Amino acid sequence: MLKRLGSFLAVVVTASAALLVPGSPAQAAATAYNTKIQWLSANPNGSMATSCQTISIKLAKGRYAWGNVRGAENIWVVDITLDAGTYTWRACLDPHDGGIYYFTSTLDGPSVPANIHLWIGIPADGHWRWGSYLDPYF
């Protein structure tokens, strides 16, 4: 009987101690970026060269916020659902007359190719970070 009581108390103590161990909080997947830092004019013209940045990225299956990066801003454009796999991610900035840039971003991989097309302006000459981001909802 004493042996059974000892075993029972050992189980109770072990179970109680397990309840005191803090669990780690769930962490969301990190935001991915395809960006470039370069000098940009606030008044571009069509004779200036197009600039592109292409990377390969492995993504998990799920839903993502996808958007444009300009300076320190992440500007949401669209939600997108992607299959798991490796993607070629390209972002381009094409200067046009009239002080505006045509921005494109493309994801090509296991899912149907996806594209963002935007006209954007740069408020002042200088070194700017530009490109696109993917922010997972998981």
Side-chain angles (χ1 to χ4, degrees), residues 3-4 10 22 54-55 66 81 98 104 130:
K3 192 172 188 179
R4 255 193 216 165
T54 303
I55 64 171
W66 190 22
T81 301
T104 59
W130 66 269

Side-chain angles (χ1 to χ4, degrees), residues 100-115:
I100 198 158
Y101 291 89
Y102 186 60
F103 170 78
T104 59
S105 186
T106 304
L107 280 167
D108 192 11
S111 296
V112 174
N115 298 286

Side-chain angles (χ1 to χ4, degrees), residues 55-112:
I55 64 171
S56 178
I57 185 168
K58 189 172 183 176
L59 297 171
K61 180 178 178 143
R63 192 166 155 246
Y64 295 79
W66 190 22
N68 173 250
V69 174
R70 188 180 69 176
E73 295 179 285
N74 286 354
I75 304 161
W76 174 87
V77 176
V78 68
D79 285 347
I80 186 169
T81 301
L82 299 171
D83 291 331
T86 302
Y87 288 79
T88 299
W89 186 5
R90 183 173 176 90
C92 294
L93 201 55
D94 186 13
H96 281 258
D97 292 334
I100 198 158
Y101 291 89
Y102 186 60
F103 170 78
T104 59
S105 186
T106 304
L107 280 167
D108 192 11
S111 296
V112 174

Side-chain angles (χ1 to χ4, degrees), residues 9-81:
L9 287 176
V11 170
V12 170
V13 170
T14 303
S16 298
L19 292 174
L20 298 175
V21 175
S24 60
Q27 293 183 337
T31 301
Y33 292 92
N34 180 8
T35 61
K36 185 175 191 175
I37 296 174
Q38 74 179 82
W39 191 90
L40 297 174
S41 171
N43 295 302
N45 62 62
S47 67
M48 296 175 162
T50 297
S51 181
C52 295
Q53 174 79 8
T54 303
I55 64 171
S56 178
I57 185 168
K58 189 172 183 176
L59 297 171
K61 180 178 178 143
R63 192 166 155 246
Y64 295 79
W66 190 22
N68 173 250
V69 174
R70 188 180 69 176
E73 295 179 285
N74 286 354
I75 304 161
W76 174 87
V77 176
V78 68
D79 285 347
I80 186 169
T81 301

Side-chain angles (χ1 to χ4, degrees), residues 114-132:
N115 298 286
I116 292 176
H117 301 273
L118 301 171
W119 292 97
I120 63 171
I122 300 296
D125 290 353
H127 284 91
W128 283 85
R129 179 177 177 236
W130 66 269
S132 57

